[in-house]
Amino acid sequence: MANMTLKRNVMPTQDAQVRARNFDEVALGYDEQTAIDEANRCLNCKTKPCVTGCPVNIHIPEFIQKIKEGDFEGAYQIINRSSSLPAVCGRVCPQETQCESKCVRGIKGESVGIGRLERFVADWHNTFSTEQPVAPAPNGHKVAIVGSGPSGLTCAGDLAKLGYAVTVFEALHTAGGVLVYGIPEFRLPKAIVAREVETLKSLGVKIETNVVIGKTLTVDELFDMGYEAVFIGSGAGLPNFMGIPGEGLCGVYSANEFLTRSNLMKGYRADADTPMMKGGRVAVVGGGNVAMDAARTALRLGADKVYIVYRRSMEELPARREEVEHAEEEGIEFCLLCNPTEILGYQNPNDPRDPKNGFVRGMRCVRMELGEPDAKGRRRPVEIPNSAFEMEVDTVIMSIGTSPNPLIKSTTGGLEVNSRGGIIVNEDGLTSRTAVYAGGDAVTGAATVISAMGAGKTAARAIDEYLNR
Amino acid sequence: MYRIVEKKILSPTVVQLQIEAPLVANKAKPGQFIILRVDEEGERIPLTVAGTDRAAGTVKIIYQIVGATTEKLSHKGAGEYLQDFVGPLGEPTHLDGLKKVCIVGGGVGCAIALPIAEALHDLGADVTSIIGFRNRDLLILEDEFKAASKSLVVMTDDGSYGRQGNVTLPLKEMLEDGEQFDMIITIGPLIMMKFVVATAKPYGTPVTVSMNPIMIDGTGMCGGCRLTLNVDGKKVTKFACVDGPDFNGYEVDFDEAMARGRMYYGFERHAHEAACNLYKKEVQ
């Protein structure tokens, strides 16, 4: 019997005041009863619009049907056919703009909580299932994957399921890419990423950490080593800075550095070897999901006050609504229509050896207003004359995007990139080089985990067709 | 895991290790660096490659014990393993076309300067080396430099060995005497490199400096190693890990780099003391 309640089941979360000071996961997940109740809101409609909204085309109504029946492992197996990282996607996908935005129930009332159900199913499987993934019979072909982020892991998983001998080369010391260095523990626990990586390993995927493709080995050498196709999922690269005075001061971080210190290098723990600035007043410049992650991390590290400084208004702010709401609940202050023009440093005029010399003491900003829409249709922010003011802060975190990593491009002959440095690919993910495929942020610039996974999936299909011609 | 094949104490605070890392040994060129982690909980630290043995598949690193991680590293012996060892990173030093070069090394920076001197020597260039140390006890690699250089000047701050004074002293004399170097390559403390640049400036001799800022991933992701260059009057942000570590000395904003290098000074001193105390306890 369908559950016709207009509102979806609420996701239980840690109390905002409590969670703002710990790194435990914010959302706690549905229990079995709530999951079945929510699943019963799905009308199992014939047209399945939700599936078209999913970049990896998960068979959504089918897995929800299994939840209704109480067959949670069955539900997992259906998701697993399309996604190699369900516990990750259930947490970090922007479902509200993808599958859930197409849901018929959303026309009158709230859409089915598809993401929450996906997360429930994956967590149930990880907790209770005894099913071991079985490596299929090898098909005799070798494929190399560059980077172990979402696109690389997806591509590796899909190819391994088809019997390919897959090796993933990772530059850092831990597999997972942005899932381990970028997305914080409270949004995506690292144990979950490690578990998904272990699942891939039991499918036969080999992971070689500490290998930088473009330095330790080149793409051409991978072919010499017998790999027949290469997928490049090397991710976004160097962080962008604004080019304003003071960005070289102590206490100015890129979001990448700040998050890497906290997440990958475990800087959030008191006993960590890797230092980072904690406490004080923090300004995060930018309005994306990464900015929200940085701001909420700063808060949990003990900041007295955290600001998001964004030059447009809340309407244009690109981060997920849920992340913005969580940030606001936790006490992060949004300084909107506000643009930094200079980061101010401390200099003691009487003591050149003052340890505070060279550290951030504040940030000068101007107020903005929205003018005419730009090429992308977003209204362009314009400076309001004579509106300059100073914010008193100790740490500034720049979260204004990244530019693709130059290492692979500069060492791979014939690999074409666009004017922004992104690798050029066709609809199958094929680059300008035969048998070299690419996807994820290395192609698109900073985007979402699921779009990277979609690209990894597309490339896996194309690589399979290419090698089985 | 990466095996320590050989360990050698070069001075009371400077240690040389040969690490088994065939892929890195196969590729590394003078001027490039590696990043290592001592153990599963350790931080990532960049160290410049001091030499390679391709046949043996080993990479030589030389480091000074300054913080918690190098302290920990110094307690590892031959036959033990490092958790992580990745590279080679950064761009090699550009040596093509250099016929007459002055190498100026300071302290443990000499360890990195040596392979460059040797490479230039092997290419048939005329190499003059000036190496400086605080005192005689800290002197390293003198014989190796002698073998790779047409002439070698050793300086100590206190005059306990060689000539007393800074490395800039003989450099200035040489330039004053009309020595025409195609390039001065300097590696050492920031303050020393800054003054090498200042010394060379009146003579217009090009200077390459090797920057060693704080770094995490070392592959062009985190942006922590950024430094500001003044290129034709314009400020430009560059990243030591992918654009460097070598830069045109005349363009580098040394004052900013020195300030950034002190960012975690308090933390590091505390962490080093804590690490030392831990080892002392173990010994007791």
Side-chain angles (χ1 to χ4, degrees):
Chain A
M1 187 60 207
N3 171 358
M4 294 310 291
T5 319
L6 293 182
K7 286 204 173 283
R8 58 168 81 184
N9 282 279
V10 173
M11 173 61 108
T13 54
Q14 268 197 80
D15 177 75
Q17 301 306 314
V18 176
R19 73 180 190 237
R21 296 293 172 190
N22 70 45
F23 276 87
D24 298 337
E25 201 172 6
V26 169
L28 302 171
Y30 283 166
D31 59 19
E32 292 187 9
Q33 227 32 60
T34 315
I36 292 172
D37 190 61
E38 184 63 26
N40 279 322
R41 294 185 65 235
C42 173
L43 302 176
N44 205 357
C45 49
K46 291 245 154 30
T47 51
K48 303 174 187 175
C50 51
V51 180
T52 62
C54 173
V56 296
N57 302 119
I58 290 175
H59 301 283
I60 294 165
E62 283 92 325
F63 96 75
I64 293 182
Q65 182 59 39
K66 291 287 180 194
I67 299 177
K68 291 180 191 174
E69 295 163 11
D71 178 5
F72 306 131
E73 180 60 24
Y76 177 83
Q77 293 305 335
I78 288 168
I79 297 176
N80 194 238
R81 289 213 302 262
S82 319
S83 168
S84 300
L85 310 167
V88 173
C89 291
R91 286 172 166 80
V92 302
C93 266
Q95 293 100 4
E96 64 280 4
T97 60
Q98 297 179 346
C99 53
E100 292 176 7
S101 73
K102 312 268 182 185
C103 178
V104 172
R105 294 296 306 266
I107 299 168
K108 191 180 161 198
E110 291 182 347
S111 60
V112 175
I114 300 169
R116 295 169 184 185
L117 290 173
E118 181 185 25
R119 170 185 160 150
F120 165 77
V121 167
D123 287 355
W124 191 94
H125 170 86
N126 286 343
T127 313
F128 298 111
S129 176
T130 49
E131 303 248 334
Q132 284 297 321
V134 183
N139 68 7
H141 292 292
K142 276 174 80 178
V143 178
I145 310 276
V146 181
S148 66
S151 72
L153 291 181
T154 300
C155 192
D158 281 18
L159 289 170
K161 285 175 193 169
L162 295 169
Y164 288 89
V166 180
T167 306
V168 180
F169 295 96
E170 168 56 47
L172 290 172
H173 56 260
T174 308
V178 73
L179 306 175
V180 295
Y181 75 72
I183 303 179
E185 180 77 12
F186 57 85
R187 219 150 66 71
L188 179 63
K190 300 309 143 220
I192 285 172
V193 181
R195 169 97 197 203
E196 305 268 34
V197 170
E198 283 311 311
T199 305
L200 290 180
K201 282 188 186 164
S202 51
L203 280 171
V205 173
K206 269 193 240 154
I207 298 193
E208 299 278 354
T209 52
N210 295 328
V211 180
V212 185
I213 301 300
K215 286 289 177 189
T216 318
L217 293 169
T218 63
V219 168
D220 291 297
E221 285 169 322
L222 292 176
F223 285 108
D224 295 342
M225 290 160 72
Y227 293 99
E228 297 157 85
V230 175
F231 173 77
I232 302 170
S234 52
L238 291 163
N240 295 336
F241 287 89
M242 292 184 73
I244 58 174
E247 286 181 310
L249 290 166
C250 296
V252 181
Y253 289 100
S254 74
N256 275 7
E257 180 185 357
F258 190 76
L259 290 169
T260 301
R261 281 181 184 271
S262 178
N263 299 331
L264 178 74
M265 305 313 297
K266 307 184 177 93
Y268 70 89
R269 297 198 325 217
D271 62 345
D273 279 351
T274 298
M276 63 191 302
M277 285 184 62
K278 298 172 184 175
R281 299 162 72 88
V282 181
V284 180
V285 180
N289 288 317
V290 177
M292 299 305 130
D293 283 347
R296 298 171 71 196
T297 296
L299 192 67
R300 284 159 172 77
L301 287 170
D304 302 320
K305 184 77 203 168
V306 181
Y307 303 98
I308 290 275
V309 178
Y310 179 57
R311 63 195 181 126
R312 291 183 165 94
S313 74
M314 189 58 97
E315 208 168 300
E316 293 80 21
L317 192 115
R320 288 180 71 189
R321 264 326 93 179
E322 185 183 302
E323 303 304 326
V324 174
E325 282 164 19
H326 280 162
E328 283 183 320
E329 285 165 18
E330 289 165 13
I332 285 161
E333 193 176 316
F334 285 69
C335 301
L336 302 167
L337 292 164
C338 172
N339 201 30
T341 54
E342 183 178 0
I343 301 167
L344 308 164
Y346 182 83
Q347 200 64 47
N348 185 336
N350 303 317
D351 183 4
R353 295 185 159 274
D354 188 327
K356 282 195 298 203
N357 286 346
F359 278 77
V360 174
R361 68 168 173 86
M363 188 162 75
R364 186 170 291 132
C365 301
V366 289
R367 303 272 179 209
M368 310 293 278
E369 60 189 352
L370 292 177
E372 294 303 307
D374 63 12
K376 282 183 185 163
R378 281 204 300 186
R379 291 179 65 193
R380 195 190 301 274
V382 186
E383 183 181 333
I384 300 174
N386 305 317
S387 64
F389 67 101
E390 283 183 16
M391 297 172 78
E392 198 186 304
V393 292
D394 312 290
T395 301
V396 175
I397 302 168
M398 289 291 171
S399 181
I400 52 170
T402 56
S403 312
N405 195 309
L407 291 186
I408 291 179
K409 147 78 184 118
S410 62
T411 54
T412 310
L415 191 70
E416 284 175 22
V417 299
N418 63 28
S419 58
R420 284 168 296 121
I423 300 171
I424 297 172
V425 296
N426 71 7
E427 65 277 10
D428 291 331
L430 180 65
T431 67
S432 52
R433 280 275 304 264
T434 308
V436 178
Y437 297 76
D441 286 2
V443 168
T444 57
T448 60
V449 168
I450 189 71
S451 67
M453 289 179 59
K457 204 166 191 59
T458 303
R461 208 179 298 134
I463 289 170
D464 181 45
E465 274 169 28
Y466 166 70
L467 291 177
N468 275 306
R469 252 185 336 202
Chain B
M1 302 286 272
Y2 302 82
R3 195 164 65 95
I4 300 171
V5 179
E6 187 197 293
K7 177 178 181 176
K8 215 161 137 187
I9 312 291
L10 299 189
S11 88
T13 58
V14 178
V15 182
Q16 171 179 306
L17 297 177
Q18 298 276 3
I19 311 288
E20 191 171 63
L23 289 179
V24 183
N26 198 31
K27 281 284 165 67
K29 294 201 176 108
Q32 290 187 296
F33 65 95
I34 57 92
I35 283 188
L36 65 81
R37 282 203 316 160
V38 178
D39 56 38
E40 187 50 56
E41 299 298 319
E43 65 176 335
R44 295 170 67 92
I45 59 161
L47 290 171
T48 306
V49 171
T52 55
D53 183 336
R54 287 192 184 169
T58 58
V59 179
K60 181 162 75 182
I61 52 169
I62 296 177
Y63 65 93
Q64 187 165 18
I65 305 166
V66 286
T69 298
T70 43
E71 178 70 38
K72 253 200 255 181
L73 185 57
S74 72
H75 290 262
K76 291 265 180 189
E80 291 190 83
Y81 289 82
L82 301 182
Q83 181 71 29
D84 298 292
F85 193 88
V86 58
L89 301 168
E91 289 294 313
T93 302
H94 296 293
L95 306 174
D96 291 349
L98 298 180
K99 298 270 175 271
K100 189 171 167 63
V101 179
C102 183
I103 305 280
V104 184
V108 75
C110 295
I112 308 153
L114 178 64
I116 296 169
E118 287 172 338
L120 283 165
H121 182 75
D122 292 348
L123 289 169
D126 173 341
V127 178
T128 300
S129 297
I130 305 171
I131 56 176
F133 303 90
R134 280 213 305 277
N135 57 51
R136 181 185 194 129
D137 292 343
L138 299 176
L139 172 72
I140 54 170
L141 304 173
E142 186 189 11
D143 293 340
E144 288 84 346
F145 267 104
K146 212 171 264 169
S149 316
K150 196 168 167 190
S151 70
L152 170 69
V153 182
V154 182
M155 305 292 293
T156 52
D157 291 356
D158 63 357
S160 54
Y161 191 81
R163 251 182 97 179
Q164 183 179 5
N166 293 325
V167 288
T168 48
L169 187 72
L171 178 66
K172 191 174 167 59
E173 289 168 1
M174 289 175 198
L175 293 168
E176 196 61 26
D177 285 350
E179 284 278 19
Q180 298 284 330
F181 296 114
D182 298 334
M183 181 71 76
I184 297 168
I185 299 176
T186 180
I187 305 171
L190 288 169
I191 187 78
M192 182 199 90
M193 295 196 287
K194 178 183 171 172
F195 279 100
V196 168
V197 172
T199 304
K201 196 170 183 184
Y203 307 92
T205 313
V207 184
T208 295
V209 299
S210 175
M211 303 299 283
N212 188 11
I214 294 168
M215 221 174 251
I216 307 178
D217 67 301
T219 63
M221 184 274 283
C222 84
C225 66
R226 69 185 179 278
L227 38 101
T228 303
L229 301 188
N230 292 298
V231 184
D232 302 328
K234 243 187 95 188
K235 283 188 186 295
V236 183
T237 298
K238 289 280 178 186
F239 301 93
C241 70
V242 289
D243 299 318
D246 290 355
F247 291 94
N248 175 349
Y250 292 105
E251 294 178 345
V252 173
D253 182 340
F254 281 103
D255 294 338
E256 182 189 279
M258 282 188 272
R260 284 184 66 77
R262 285 192 295 267
M263 185 156 166
Y264 299 109
Y265 184 69
F267 182 100
E268 279 158 3
R269 213 171 41 174
H270 176 76
H272 187 197
E273 275 168 20
C276 289
N277 289 339
L278 215 62
Y279 288 116
K280 275 183 208 150
K281 255 187 215 155
E282 271 178 26
V283 171
Q284 282 167 6

